[in-house]
Amino acid sequence: MAGHSKWANIQHRKGRQDKLRSKLFSKLAKEITVAAKMGEPDPDKNPRLRLAVKEAKSQSVPKDVIDRAIKKSQGGDAESYDEIRYEGYGPGGVAVIVETMTDNKNRTASTVRSTFTKNGGNLGETGSVGFMFDRKGQVIYPATVGDADTVMMAAIEAGAEDVDSSEEGHVIICADTDLNTVSTGLEAELGESDSTKLIWQPTTTTELDLEGMTKLMKLIDALEDDDDIQNVTANFEASDEVMAQL
């Protein structure tokens, strides 16, 4: 989980919240629109939409923004997005997965490629790093919902695979296909989660020093600044000392 649990801390420390929040809202709204267009516009009948709405709410996206995104999917002029995954290597040989939603494949491919090149990375073929990750569901709860044993019991009952509890909170992992079921079961026991989404969980990680982390951050920041890019995942690991210096 090295690349995930610490990642929120990096973003927090860098003080980019306002800029990130605005971009995050638009990316979550885009996911809602795509999910609603692919299935029923009713979250109760569309698991992907339900998860998209749940994640948006957990990130404090206003209700009117969520409703507007769903309505947008039903209009005849709703944009058509392609979901494309790019894979490559960042500085220090770190594996990077970039998930995009785009209405212009050529523009996005060009942007992703040039961003990797400018920031010391190399874009590879699809599958070039994917084997180093597992597709999983992830549900995060604050530490205040209960102790490790309480959350572990709720997670087992809901059908989860693993729980990582710390002072920062509880990270619950499940099979990607079980995320809707597991998150619903957890909600009944523990209430609303801080986050519920599909992730790429690294099966192997690459340790980076301060210089390597600084270079990787530049690449990831540049990728996340692009509106076509929904998520960026990297299999980095760094010591607490390195993280504290970022």
Side-chain angles (χ1 to χ4, degrees):
M1 288 300 298
H4 293 284
S5 53
K6 292 178 180 173
W7 188 240
N9 298 345
I10 299 174
Q11 291 183 331
H12 179 72
R13 268 198 282 271
K14 294 183 84 254
R16 297 172 71 233
Q17 290 98 318
D18 290 345
K19 185 179 180 185
L20 282 172
R21 183 154 290 277
S22 153
K23 284 196 174 288
L24 180 64
F25 278 17
S26 67
K27 289 178 183 188
L28 290 168
K30 190 192 282 189
E31 166 63 22
I32 288 170
T33 300
V34 168
K37 192 174 182 183
M38 288 174 68
E40 292 276 341
D42 178 357
D44 290 333
K45 298 176 183 172
N46 181 336
R48 178 170 172 174
L49 177 58
R50 180 182 178 278
L51 290 170
V53 169
K54 189 175 167 65
E55 180 65 10
K57 284 180 177 174
S58 74
Q59 299 295 334
S60 305
V61 176
K63 186 176 185 300
D64 64 315
V65 173
I66 293 171
D67 291 342
R68 203 158 54 236
I70 293 175
K71 281 199 187 100
K72 190 176 176 183
S73 72
Q74 303 309 298
D77 58 347
E79 296 103 323
S80 181
Y81 293 109
D82 289 303
E83 295 180 83
I84 305 169
R85 188 173 84 239
Y86 296 93
E87 300 179 20
Y89 287 94
V94 170
V96 181
I97 290 180
V98 181
E99 294 170 277
T100 70
M101 272 187 194
T102 179
D103 55 3
N104 186 324
K105 294 183 193 176
N106 292 337
R107 177 190 67 221
T108 305
S110 171
T111 300
V112 172
R113 187 175 296 282
S114 66
T115 304
F116 266 87
T117 304
K118 285 177 193 166
N119 291 281
N122 296 99
L123 190 61
E125 298 294 319
T126 301
S128 59
V129 305
F131 66 93
M132 289 186 255
F133 298 82
D134 286 333
R135 192 62 161 160
K136 295 289 183 182
Q138 175 186 270
V139 185
I140 298 177
Y141 276 94
T144 50
V145 298
D147 60 25
D149 287 343
T150 302
V151 174
M152 176 67 80
M153 288 307 296
I156 290 170
E157 194 70 28
E161 295 178 349
D162 192 23
V163 181
D164 180 13
S165 294
S166 69
E167 291 176 4
E168 293 178 0
H170 308 279
V171 180
I172 298 146
I173 300 295
C174 65
D176 57 341
T177 51
D178 292 342
L179 181 56
N180 191 42
T181 307
V182 170
S183 67
T184 302
L186 287 167
E187 201 172 302
E189 288 293 317
L190 305 173
E192 283 284 335
S193 63
D194 277 356
S195 173
T196 299
K197 61 185 178 182
L198 290 168
I199 61 161
W200 292 99
Q201 186 181 43
T203 54
T204 175
T205 55
T206 299
E207 179 90 25
L208 291 179
D209 58 13
L210 181 59
E211 183 185 354
M213 275 303 298
T214 303
K215 288 178 178 174
L216 179 65
M217 285 293 298
K218 271 189 73 179
L219 169 63
I220 292 179
D221 282 351
L223 287 167
E224 287 189 333
D225 275 342
D226 188 84
D227 291 336
D228 291 340
I229 293 171
Q230 292 290 101
N231 297 297
V232 181
T233 308
N235 73 339
F236 70 86
E237 188 158 0
S239 68
D240 290 340
E241 290 75 22
V242 167
M243 300 297 281
Q245 292 178 71
L246 283 170

